[in-house]
Amino acid sequence: MLDLLVIGAGLTGLFAAYTAARSGLRVRVIAKGMGTTHWQAGTIDLLGYLPGEQRPVANWAEAVPELPAAHPYRLLGADAIRTAVVEFQRLVSGAGLPYESAAGSDLAGTPGRSGWRDGGNSLLISPVGAPRPVYLAPAAQQQANLADVRPMVIVGLSGMTDFYPALIAENLRRQGHRARSASVPLDKLTTRRDKSPLQLARLLDQPAAQARLAEMVADAAADERVGLPAVLGLRSHARICARLQEATASRAVFEIPTLPPSVPGMRLDTTLRELLAGLGVRVETGMEARGFRADGRRIQWVESETGSRPLRHSARSYLLATGGILGGGILGERSGRVREVVFALPVTAPGARSQWLRPLFLDSRGHPVFQGGVAVDARFQPLDESGAPVYDNLWAAGAVLAHTDPIRERSREGISIATAYAAAKAVARAVSQPPAAVN
Amino acid sequence: MHTVSLHSAGLSLDACIKCNICTSYCPVSQVTDRFPGPKYAAPQSERFRQIGQPRSPDASVDYCSGCRVCNEVCPTGVRIAEINARARAQMVAEQGLSLRNRLLGRNELLGKVGSLAPRLANFLLHNRLARRLAAALFGVAEQAPLPRWHAETFTHWLLRTNSNRLRSERKVVYFHGCATQHYEPFVGMATVLVLEHLGYEVIVPPQNCCGLPLLSNGEFGAAEQYHRRNVERLTTYIEAGYPILGSSTSCTLTLKEEAPELLDLEGDAGVQALKFATWDIFEWLRARQEQADLPADMKPLDDAGQPFVLPYHAPCQLRAHRIGKPALDILSCIPGLELRESHARCCGIAGTYGYKVEKYRIAMDVGAELFDFVATQRAGTEASSSFACTACDSETCRWQLEHGTGLPSRHPIEILAAAYGLYDLQARRPLGGN
């Protein structure tokens, strides 16, 4: 019998599954589709904005105590968050996908080359040239750090429809950075009509295309830092980055995320799936959890939808990692009811549609409906209205949780990693110490 | 012409948020510009085909192989492949069908004709001149892996070995499909032997093609006739409470879901009963295992006790059942068997797709991911067992795997039958007087 069934295959589900499997648990993951990792920039945004604040957070570790008491980060505390992030960084970096903070690749986050303190965010560049507060990023994106004052050239690939170098450079100039745009012709690299970021990344896995691009980029850039769309290889990302660094005068080349599909997100997703396969953990995609059976406070099984009769999955414990409204774990119905889709858990959310959203789309307080979700205790077990765990063998992590608005806070991946780690560890403790028999 | 309705597949397109995950995983659009990718071909184009809009689909939709990887990865549950299948049927209804596609859709008829004189049929079809002619006249790709008719059909074998067959109170119905009947009767034999080993009597009622080749070539009218006939023929057994088991994952998927959904037969009681009575053979075996009803007397596959390395590919048609990979759950109990799970998206052949002259190259390019996986798994293990093969649940995928890797390929039920000591895996024949 499985020790743990993880529902959801986003960053939360995959990292939780890995953490639990490494703790010795027999784990399986089921998911409706590929996770939302494919829509994300591949960076680990820990905490970019405090509620209602316009100014980005400079140091997430120092800002955590300022969050509301019910926030998942407050349930954890900065030390537990740091432990999870260091574990994540060690894991993916060890698997050939180096992630760095502004302090560099130093895993413990001690003061590094640029004098940043532990927890220091960097400002990276968004697909439209806006600043993005990020803690941990793939090495190639971390190089975009706007604290580096050297001039930049944003190089586009002409013919690629999902990247806008002139817009990015202009936005950067308005923020006081020295930036210009340039472009290199894509028709020297490919005759394919499909020039999506992923297709270009696959193309740039080929050594011949890498050499060609390095030549063209070297010609287009003076002694400037070079920003390119995040299409620099899917499988041989490190190799093409090294090649481009060598070829350019500044030796500084960075990636800027594109519109989805996000190549850095797919690199992360692929790395985690391969790590799970290495531990013998199966990830079943195309399996939507639709129902469950509980006897008292114990879940007996979860059912997923199939082409015929529902399929039952039994495990000692269950981890809900289905995401928020975007990921499909929380559903807002036309009636105004907001519900959790698998276990029908109590959800903190405004009950009327008129209260879901504020009139201003970009309101700095965010929208109430996106803060809705499943409330949990400090062990990440979902709670009922009275504050007691709903089920003894159910945990929840990631964007499905209440009292956080990951999009507004720029905490999406941080919430995933920190709560996935904590929940998986809590499951491991519970499985290894079965509850004492009740008389 | 098939009637148009508001159906579940069409309605699901409103769930599309244009995230492009389907396009990221589409094995066809990765290798060719002829198919613009699932998002463009299905949810985006479908809006222009809705009631009151000009309805003709773009010809590029014909390059969708129907592998359903898009459905599998979609995070919002859009039935992309079904939208494409409907669009293709619309094109066929408007523009007619080529003789080639008409023939490829009639797998059952081709099987029957060849089985009248299998040697002659093999001689006539499997020579270079004939294949060149078939390519030039009909557009059937010259190198594509066409099967060979077997000397004896599956139902002939059943008749011949009737006295050996188990009679039991516990009964199951076997839906063998056309490929087992005419080309690979040994897959059916292995299935029967395993089921009897579990103590079940196997009933094989008269049955016809499930209709999938017709559905994938856009002939919905003919497919509906096939499906209704199967429902008629199987209803008594379903009413008696017998499960309908199939060893062909695409046939069972058609009975469960493709035919009811694409043909708008979801409201038909008989169709629904068949949907819920149908099982993939390993899905059913896994349920037996969960009831502790699966014999544990499995022996290592290699006589010398060497580890047996087996690359296993769960075909798209099995993954579309959304039942996981039950063959892996069962085969992992065989001692000494080192299963290597493929994560390749598709072998490329996608039923009749890879047989078409204009699509053969695409199919081989799609399959490269799987062929490379097999080559990697085999590296350094050549000496480990006396016989080497791959395993895959779907027949055309096995033929494509053999074509692309040069290694024999087996149905997992053949592997299991061999582990129970009932079947010669290399020679593909039953042991012990069957």
Side-chain angles (χ1 to χ4, degrees):
Chain A
M1 191 185 207
L2 288 175
D3 294 313
L4 175 63
L5 180 75
V6 176
I7 308 166
L11 184 53
T12 308
L14 297 183
F15 188 53
Y18 184 87
T19 304
R22 275 303 298 267
S23 305
L25 269 55
R26 290 190 50 187
V27 183
R28 186 168 291 178
V29 182
I30 61 167
K32 183 176 173 183
M34 288 292 178
T36 54
T37 320
H38 295 66
W39 305 338
Q40 298 163 7
T43 56
I44 306 305
D45 303 3
L46 245 296
L47 182 58
Y49 295 90
L50 285 168
E53 293 274 344
Q54 300 275 12
R55 267 180 2 144
V57 165
N59 185 302
W60 65 263
E62 289 168 10
V64 163
E66 293 177 46
L67 288 166
H71 193 283
Y73 279 171
R74 290 288 304 277
L75 298 178
L76 288 164
D79 286 344
I81 300 170
R82 188 180 296 107
T83 304
V85 173
V86 168
E87 279 302 315
F88 169 84
Q89 187 179 9
R90 198 169 273 156
L91 175 66
V92 290
S93 299
L97 190 66
Y99 268 67
E100 297 181 356
S101 67
S105 56
D106 189 335
L107 285 176
T110 46
R113 55 167 185 246
S114 47
W116 285 75
R117 282 160 305 158
D118 173 25
N121 280 338
S122 43
L123 290 176
L124 305 186
I125 303 170
S126 87
V128 292
R132 295 177 55 227
V134 168
Y135 178 58
L136 212 58
Q141 284 194 62
Q142 192 60 263
Q143 299 265 336
N145 195 339
L146 286 169
D148 186 333
V149 296
R150 287 177 289 171
M152 289 173 271
V153 56
I154 311 300
V155 179
L157 308 172
S158 61
M160 178 182 175
T161 48
D162 289 346
F163 190 70
Y164 321 103
L167 173 72
I168 295 170
E170 189 188 326
N171 262 336
L172 289 169
R173 283 196 298 274
R174 285 189 188 184
Q175 298 159 53
H177 303 289
R178 286 183 289 165
R180 69 177 180 98
S181 62
S183 86
V184 297
L186 208 42
D187 52 16
K188 294 204 170 147
L189 293 176
T190 179
T191 54
R192 286 291 304 269
R193 190 171 58 199
D194 178 355
K195 295 182 175 67
S196 69
L198 177 59
Q199 203 62 271
L200 293 174
R202 285 175 180 143
L203 171 76
L204 289 172
D205 278 341
Q206 300 163 15
Q210 293 177 356
R212 229 36 230 265
L213 182 71
E215 259 171 48
M216 293 192 294
V217 168
D219 289 345
D223 189 9
E224 299 158 294
R225 299 163 67 209
V226 180
L228 282 158
V231 299
L232 303 179
L234 198 62
R235 294 248 154 219
S236 55
H237 174 57
R239 191 178 156 69
I240 181 173
C241 288
R243 256 187 129 133
L244 285 163
Q245 309 271 21
E246 277 167 33
T248 46
S250 69
R251 312 228 152 226
V253 176
F254 58 83
E255 278 192 322
I256 299 172
T258 65
L259 296 182
S262 158
V263 172
M266 290 189 76
R267 286 182 203 128
L268 176 56
D269 182 75
T270 305
T271 301
L272 290 171
R273 280 171 198 268
E274 287 175 357
L275 284 163
L276 284 169
L279 292 182
V281 176
R282 266 161 58 191
V283 181
E284 308 274 24
T285 310
M287 267 192 194
E288 182 180 0
R290 284 254 180 105
F292 72 106
R293 159 79 184 264
D295 284 346
R297 300 208 317 178
R298 274 200 90 72
I299 293 166
Q300 301 296 318
W301 39 256
V302 167
E303 270 184 351
S304 65
E305 178 266 0
T306 81
S308 174
R309 70 201 66 74
L311 180 65
R312 282 181 190 173
H313 310 261
S314 295
R316 279 180 231 285
S317 49
Y318 302 83
L319 175 59
L320 185 68
T322 43
I325 287 183
L326 196 58
I330 302 283
L331 188 71
E333 293 180 339
R334 277 174 202 278
S335 66
R337 193 166 74 111
V338 178
R339 63 181 179 92
E340 185 281 306
V341 299
V342 181
F343 299 104
L345 295 169
V347 170
T348 62
R353 279 185 83 173
S354 58
Q355 291 161 10
W356 283 4
L357 306 169
R358 294 185 203 280
L360 281 178
F361 178 60
L362 295 176
D363 194 306
S364 64
R365 291 167 297 175
H367 298 288
V369 72
F370 295 129
Q371 283 150 30
V374 172
V376 291
D377 63 12
R379 293 169 305 160
F380 288 85
Q381 295 212 254
L383 300 175
D384 62 21
E385 282 85 355
S386 74
V390 186
Y391 299 108
D392 291 335
N393 57 345
L394 176 65
W395 284 259
V400 75
L401 298 179
H403 308 302
T404 170
D405 181 352
I407 297 176
R408 165 63 207 150
E409 294 165 359
R410 286 244 157 251
S411 63
R412 176 164 279 284
E413 297 85 4
I415 292 283
S416 286
I417 287 170
T419 63
Y421 187 80
K425 286 288 182 186
V427 173
R429 278 193 301 275
V431 169
S432 64
Q433 302 166 342
V438 180
N439 291 322
Chain B
M1 201 176 117
H2 207 76
T3 50
V4 175
S5 66
L6 279 176
H7 43 81
S8 53
L11 289 174
S12 75
L13 76 90
D14 282 340
C16 176
I17 59 164
K18 313 280 180 245
C19 74
N20 264 319
I21 284 182
C22 56
T23 306
S24 305
Y25 284 89
C26 175
V28 176
S29 69
Q30 180 178 342
V31 301
T32 177
D33 278 334
R34 288 180 177 274
F35 184 58
K39 185 188 77 166
Y40 297 103
Q44 239 148 260
S45 305
E46 180 74 4
R47 294 190 192 286
F48 296 99
R49 303 177 204 133
Q50 301 238 307
I51 310 233
Q53 299 286 339
R55 305 188 45 81
S56 286
D58 186 82
S60 64
V61 79
D62 188 46
Y63 277 86
C64 166
S65 77
C67 70
R68 291 176 187 76
V69 169
C70 45
N71 288 11
E72 183 185 348
V73 299
C74 176
T76 63
V78 183
R79 312 277 300 156
I80 306 165
E82 283 72 18
I83 295 174
N84 282 346
R86 283 170 174 274
R88 188 184 283 123
Q90 182 73 34
M91 276 170 44
V92 168
E94 287 173 12
Q95 298 158 22
L97 190 67
S98 69
L99 177 60
R100 190 235 2 230
N101 288 7
R102 200 172 284 274
L103 278 175
L104 286 176
R106 283 169 178 71
N107 188 1
E108 182 185 65
L109 179 71
L110 293 176
K112 277 184 183 163
V113 169
S115 286
L116 293 175
R119 277 188 200 194
L120 180 65
N122 285 331
F123 171 74
L124 287 178
L125 187 65
H126 288 277
N127 68 72
R128 280 187 73 179
L129 181 67
R131 293 300 300 267
R132 280 203 184 155
L133 275 173
L137 294 176
F138 299 117
V140 175
E142 190 180 336
Q143 286 139 327
L146 283 177
R148 288 177 171 276
W149 281 272
H150 198 265
E152 184 181 32
T153 62
F154 171 65
T155 43
H156 250 113
W157 174 79
L158 272 182
L159 271 177
R160 183 164 62 80
T161 60
N162 189 35
S163 57
N164 296 353
R165 302 278 59 87
L166 182 75
R167 303 284 171 250
S168 163
E169 284 303 300
R170 302 199 291 174
K171 297 182 202 316
V172 292
V173 171
Y174 179 40
F175 190 90
H176 50 69
C178 307
T180 298
Q181 171 70 345
H182 301 290
Y183 311 123
E184 298 189 321
F186 31 79
V187 170
M189 298 173 198
T191 307
V192 170
L193 296 178
V194 167
L195 290 169
E196 290 181 348
H197 189 64
L198 266 72
Y200 286 83
E201 178 178 336
V202 182
I203 305 169
V204 183
Q207 51 192 270
N208 53 260
C209 172
C210 67
L212 178 64
L214 292 165
L215 286 172
S216 23
N217 284 289
E219 275 195 83
F220 280 20
E224 182 171 340
Q225 285 178 13
Y226 274 27
H227 191 63
R228 285 196 184 277
R229 208 169 332 134
N230 273 328
V231 170
E232 250 168 57
R233 288 169 150 176
L234 296 170
T235 292
T236 26
Y237 301 98
I238 298 167
E239 282 168 357
Y242 303 144
I244 314 290
L245 313 183
S247 53
S248 168
T249 53
S250 45
C251 300
T252 45
L253 183 68
T254 306
L255 300 184
K256 279 181 177 181
E257 187 167 44
E258 289 300 300
E261 190 174 277
L262 289 176
L263 301 171
D264 278 331
L265 298 173
E266 282 161 322
D268 182 298
V271 169
Q272 282 301 95
L274 179 55
K275 174 190 178 82
F276 289 108
T278 304
W279 300 72
D280 165 70
I281 179 72
F282 275 91
E283 178 191 16
W284 187 83
L285 289 171
R286 183 175 60 188
R288 300 286 71 69
Q289 186 186 41
E290 281 160 9
Q291 306 291 319
D293 190 21
L294 192 72
D297 57 334
M298 300 173 199
K299 295 190 290 278
L301 294 173
D302 189 78
D303 297 336
Q306 295 290 324
F308 193 102
V309 174
L310 183 67
Y312 167 73
H313 176 67
C316 322
Q317 296 286 337
L318 173 72
R319 303 200 316 270
H321 284 244
R322 285 105 68 202
I323 54 174
K325 297 179 177 176
L328 276 184
D329 296 320
I330 305 289
L331 296 188
S332 63
C333 303
I334 299 176
L337 183 62
E338 269 187 44
L339 280 166
R340 305 282 171 85
E341 181 188 359
S342 146
H343 292 279
R345 287 164 287 175
C346 179
C347 72
I349 195 114
T352 59
Y353 187 86
Y355 290 104
K356 299 170 182 171
V357 72
E358 73 281 11
K359 290 164 184 139
Y360 170 77
R361 193 63 253 162
I362 297 173
M364 290 304 283
D365 289 344
V366 166
E369 188 182 0
L370 176 58
F371 309 149
D372 290 349
F373 164 78
V374 172
T376 316
Q377 301 309 312
R378 294 294 310 156
T381 63
E382 284 82 357
S384 63
S385 59
S386 50
F387 172 65
C389 63
T390 62
C392 179
D393 315 65
S394 198
E395 49 273 355
T396 46
C397 308
R398 281 195 295 277
W399 305 335
Q400 171 83 341
L401 257 169
E402 294 184 336
H403 180 52
T405 65
L407 274 177
S409 188
R410 298 290 183 260
H411 192 294
I413 199 71
E414 295 178 87
I415 310 277
L416 183 61
Y420 279 136
L422 308 166
Y423 186 78
D424 182 333
L425 192 59
Q426 193 165 356
R428 301 189 104 167
R429 60 168 181 251
L431 296 171
N434 277 301

